Amino acid sequence: MTRNIGKWLISGPPVFYLAVFFVIPTFIMVLASFRHAGEFGGLAPIFLHDVRGAHLNLTLESYREYFSDFIYSRLFIKTLIYALVTTFFCLVTAYPLALLIAGSEKRHRDLLVLLVILPFWSNFLIRIYAWMIILGPQSALSVGLNGFLGMFGIEPVGLLFTPFAVVLCLIYVQLPFMVLPLYANLEKHDPALLDAAQDLGANSWQRFWRITFPLSLPGVYAGIALVFIPVLGIFAVPDILGGTGGIMIGNLIKQEFLEARDWPFGSALSIILTLGALCIVGVAAMVAGRTVKNDA
Amino acid sequence: MPKRLLAASGIAAYLFLYLPLVIVVAYSFNDSRLNAEWVGFTWRWYKALFEDDAMLKAAGNSLFIALTASFAATVLGTMAGYALHRYRLRLLPVLIMAPLAIPEILVGVSLLIFFVAVNLTLGLLSITLSHIAFCIGFVAIVVRSRLAGMDESLPEAARDLGASPWQAFRLVTFPLIAPGILAGALLAFTLSIDDFVITFFTAGVGASTLPLQIYSMIKIAVTPEVNAVSTLLMLLTLFLIVIASRISPDSVRGK
C-alpha cells in the first residue's frame, strides 16, 4: 500500500502536467477540426442556444473542404515528394560518413560522432539562415554558377526562394538523424565477414553490396523514419527559403492559424497530416519488417 | 566501398555540416552591410546588437523563460525519470515519448488553441508553460538512463540499515544521479532557449524571444546583426552542451 502511495506521489505530478499541457490540447484540436470558425477568427461556440434550446454546433465542413479541392491534396503530395527526395539524399550522404566513422580507430569514433551531432545543437533558425547567405544572389556560389552558365549563353538563375533551396536545407537539417542510426548499426558489424569475403575473392564493391549493405538494413530503415516523418511537418525551412513556389503543408497550417485564422480547417489539416504520417509509418514498418525477416 | 572514395565523401559530408555555420560566424565580423564580399574586420555588428533595445528585451525574455522552464522541467522530469525506472507504468511512458515523436508544429498549434480556450493571454507565461511540457521528456530520459546505470544495491543497503525510503533517496540515490539531473537541466535550458516552432505559436503579439527576434529580422531585413546574435547563441549552446556532455556523456546524443 505505501508502495502504491509513493508511486502516485512520484508519477502523479508529471502525468498531471503532461495530461493538461499535451493530452487535453490534442483533444481540443481534434474537437476544433469539427467546429465552425468564429466570425473574427478563432472558433464558434460548441453549443448553440436557440428556440429549441441548446444543441451541438459541429460540422464536417473542414474535412469536406480538404477533399473537395484537389489543391490541398496536391500540396500534401508535394510535401511527400520533398520528404522522399530529402530522405534519399540524406541516405546517400550519410552512408559513407557512417561507414567512415564505424571503420575508423576506436579512440577516434566518439569524437567523430560528436562532430556530427554538434552542428545540430546550434539553433534551427540559424542553420536555415546560413543557407540564405550561401544561396543569396550576391553569394560566391550564385555569382560563380551564373558566371559559368553565362559562358554558355544561359540566363542567370536564382537559387534562393526555390524548391531546390528548400530541399537542400532540409537535407542539411536532417542529416544527423540519418548518420546516427546508421553508425549505431554499422559499428556492430563483425569485420571477419568482410575478411572472409575478401579471401573468397570479392572486390570492395561486392563486399559492400553483398554484405555490409544488407546487414545495415535495420539502421537504414530507422534512419529513413527519423528523417522522413519530421520533414512532413516542417514549416520554417520553406517559410524562409521557399518563396511562393516552395511551400509545404506545414506552411498552410501556419497560415490557417496565424493569417487566415480558419482554426477548424487548420486543425483538420493537422489531423490529416498526423494520420497520413501514421499510415505511411505503418505501411513502411510492415514492408521493412518483412524485408528484414527475409534477409535474416 | 573503396577506401579513398569513402574518405573523400566522408570529408565532404563534414564540410557540408560545418561550412554554413562557419560562414555565419565569419560574416558577423565583416565590415559590410551585405553578406557578400569580405571587406574587413569589425566589431560593429556586436556593438549594434548591444544597443538594440528590442534584441536585449528578447534576450532577457529568453533567459527568463529558459531558467523558469528548465527548473520546472527538471523537477517534473526527474520525478518522471525516477518513476519510469522504479515502477511498471502504462500511461507515463506514452506521455513522455509522444510529444517527442509527433511533429513540433502540431504541439505548437494545439497549445495555441488550448491557451485561447482557457482564456490565458498569450505571452511569457504561455511560452514558459509550453516549454516545460516539451522539456520534461528529455530530462526524464537522461535521468532514467543515469538511474539504469546505478547500482541498485546501494539504496537497498541503506534501507536494510534502517533508512526511510525518503532518506535512502535523499542521501544515497540523489547524490548518485545528481550529474544526470544537472545534465538534464542543462539540456532543458538549451532546448528552451533555442526553441522556435512551439514558441512561434504560443507567443502571441506581446512577448518576443531571441529565436523569434532572429526570425523577424530574417523575414524583414537581413543585416549582419543576425550573424552576430547567431554567433553568440551558438557559443552559448556549445558551452552548455560541452558541460552537459562532460557531466553525463549520454545526454547529448538524442535531441
Side-chain angles (χ1 to χ4, degrees):
Chain A
M1 190 60 208
T2 30
R3 200 183 151 80
N4 261 335
I5 291 173
K7 180 170 152 180
W8 287 113
L9 276 178
I10 293 162
S11 67
V15 167
F16 176 76
Y17 195 91
L18 290 169
V20 172
F21 291 102
F22 177 66
V23 179
I24 293 178
T26 306
F27 276 111
I28 291 182
M29 185 176 73
V30 174
L31 185 63
S33 72
F34 296 105
R35 290 169 69 174
H36 290 283
E39 240 171 281
F40 309 102
L43 300 162
I46 301 183
F47 293 102
L48 270 189
H49 300 272
D50 57 20
V51 279
R52 287 173 297 157
H55 59 92
L56 276 175
N57 184 26
L58 297 178
T59 174
L60 285 170
E61 191 47 49
S62 297
Y63 293 93
R64 199 175 302 135
E65 189 180 340
Y66 179 89
F67 289 105
S68 66
D69 196 338
F70 188 65
I71 196 168
Y72 302 119
S73 299
R74 204 162 60 198
L75 188 61
F76 197 88
I77 293 166
K78 187 175 141 195
T79 304
L80 287 179
I81 293 172
Y82 281 19
L84 279 175
V85 175
T86 302
T87 310
F88 174 77
F89 281 102
C90 275
L91 182 61
V92 174
T93 316
Y95 210 108
L97 183 57
L99 259 184
L100 185 76
I101 300 174
S104 62
E105 279 181 62
K106 240 195 175 107
R107 63 202 161 95
H108 295 151
R109 280 185 210 164
D110 277 349
L111 178 68
L112 290 173
V113 171
L114 187 70
L115 283 176
V116 173
I117 301 169
L118 265 191
F120 116 115
W121 274 106
S122 67
N123 189 286
F124 184 51
L125 279 178
I126 299 174
R127 281 177 285 154
I128 304 172
Y129 167 65
W131 288 99
M132 231 177 144
I133 301 180
I134 297 171
L135 302 173
Q138 295 122 342
S139 74
L141 184 68
S142 288
V143 172
L145 177 72
N146 283 325
F148 179 75
L149 291 177
M151 290 195 297
F152 301 93
I154 302 171
E155 294 279 300
V157 291
L159 298 173
L160 194 59
F161 307 130
T162 59
F164 166 77
V166 174
V167 173
L168 185 60
C169 185
L170 287 174
I171 297 168
Y172 180 68
V173 295
Q174 294 299 91
L175 188 61
F177 291 102
M178 187 64 93
V179 178
L180 297 180
L182 278 178
Y183 164 72
N185 172 285
L186 290 169
E187 187 213 28
K188 283 182 282 190
H189 288 195
D190 185 352
L193 290 172
L194 292 178
D195 292 342
Q198 189 166 18
D199 289 345
L200 295 168
N203 69 31
S204 63
W205 283 109
Q206 284 171 327
R207 293 198 297 272
F208 175 74
W209 283 113
R210 312 268 292 263
I211 296 171
T212 309
F213 188 73
L215 281 175
S216 72
L217 279 177
V220 171
Y221 294 135
I224 289 175
L226 285 177
V227 170
F228 186 81
I229 301 295
V231 169
L232 295 178
I234 273 179
F235 82 93
V237 175
D239 191 83
I240 293 169
L241 300 174
T244 43
I247 70 162
M248 296 166 71
I249 202 95
N251 300 78
L252 186 60
I253 295 177
K254 175 210 147 195
Q255 249 173 46
E256 295 299 334
F257 275 99
L258 300 181
E259 287 148 38
R261 296 191 58 80
D262 186 345
W263 288 13
F265 189 56
S267 304
L269 284 173
S270 308
I271 287 157
I272 291 166
L273 171 66
T274 312
L275 293 180
L278 281 178
C279 286
I280 295 163
V281 175
V283 171
M286 261 165 50
V287 174
R290 198 170 300 155
T291 329
V292 170
K293 217 176 276 171
N294 284 350
D295 285 335
Chain B
M1 268 195 242
K3 275 249 153 59
R4 220 172 278 165
L5 181 66
L6 196 62
S9 48
I11 290 165
Y14 277 118
L15 277 178
F16 177 61
L17 282 173
Y18 280 91
L19 209 56
L21 300 178
V22 171
I23 287 173
V24 171
V25 175
Y27 277 129
S28 77
F29 298 109
N30 188 18
D31 198 3
S32 155
R33 282 217 139 257
L34 301 172
N35 287 318
E37 259 176 305
W38 181 262
V39 177
F41 182 89
T42 182
W43 286 107
R44 83 184 222 228
W45 305 116
Y46 289 89
K47 276 195 203 113
L49 207 58
F50 288 99
E51 285 155 13
D52 182 340
D53 287 333
M55 188 65 86
L56 291 176
K57 181 120 199 298
N61 285 343
S62 276
L63 216 55
F64 169 80
I65 295 165
L67 282 172
T68 319
S70 58
F71 177 76
T74 303
V75 174
L76 290 168
T78 302
M79 293 170 102
Y82 187 80
L84 286 175
H85 173 74
R86 184 77 197 277
Y87 307 108
R88 277 172 170 268
L89 298 162
R90 238 174 277 162
L91 189 59
L92 191 60
V94 180
L95 284 178
I96 292 292
M97 292 314 294
L100 310 186
I102 70 170
E104 262 189 307
I105 188 172
L106 301 182
V107 179
V109 296
S110 62
L111 280 165
L112 167 64
I113 307 178
F114 171 74
F115 288 130
V116 171
V118 298
N119 258 326
L120 184 87
T121 313
L122 299 179
L124 283 185
L125 181 62
S126 60
I127 301 174
T128 309
L129 290 170
S130 311
H131 283 201
I132 296 170
F134 76 74
C135 287
I136 289 177
F138 290 100
V139 178
I141 290 169
V142 174
V143 169
R144 184 202 193 175
S145 77
R146 181 83 195 184
L147 278 163
M150 185 188 73
D151 187 350
E152 250 346 287
S153 59
L154 295 171
E156 275 167 26
R159 295 278 283 133
D160 288 344
L161 295 170
S164 72
W166 171 241
Q167 281 176 321
F169 177 80
R170 195 169 55 93
L171 298 171
V172 179
T173 310
F174 182 76
L176 284 171
I177 62 168
I181 296 174
L182 191 58
L186 289 171
L187 199 64
F189 186 89
T190 315
L191 289 167
S192 168
I193 212 159
D194 268 341
D195 179 74
F196 167 66
V197 177
I198 292 170
T199 313
F200 184 71
F201 286 101
T202 52
V205 283
S208 187
T209 66
L210 274 184
L212 291 184
Q213 197 64 26
I214 293 175
Y215 176 76
S216 62
M217 288 178 87
I218 293 175
K219 289 295 272 190
I220 298 163
V222 176
T223 75
E225 230 189 288
V226 179
N227 302 49
V229 69
S230 302
T231 304
L232 293 179
L233 200 54
M234 277 195 271
L235 275 178
L236 177 68
T237 311
L238 184 69
F239 175 72
L240 292 171
I241 287 307
V242 168
I243 293 182
S245 69
R246 275 285 161 86
I247 300 169
S248 180
D250 298 337
S251 62
V252 188
R253 289 296 173 90
K255 174 174 167 180

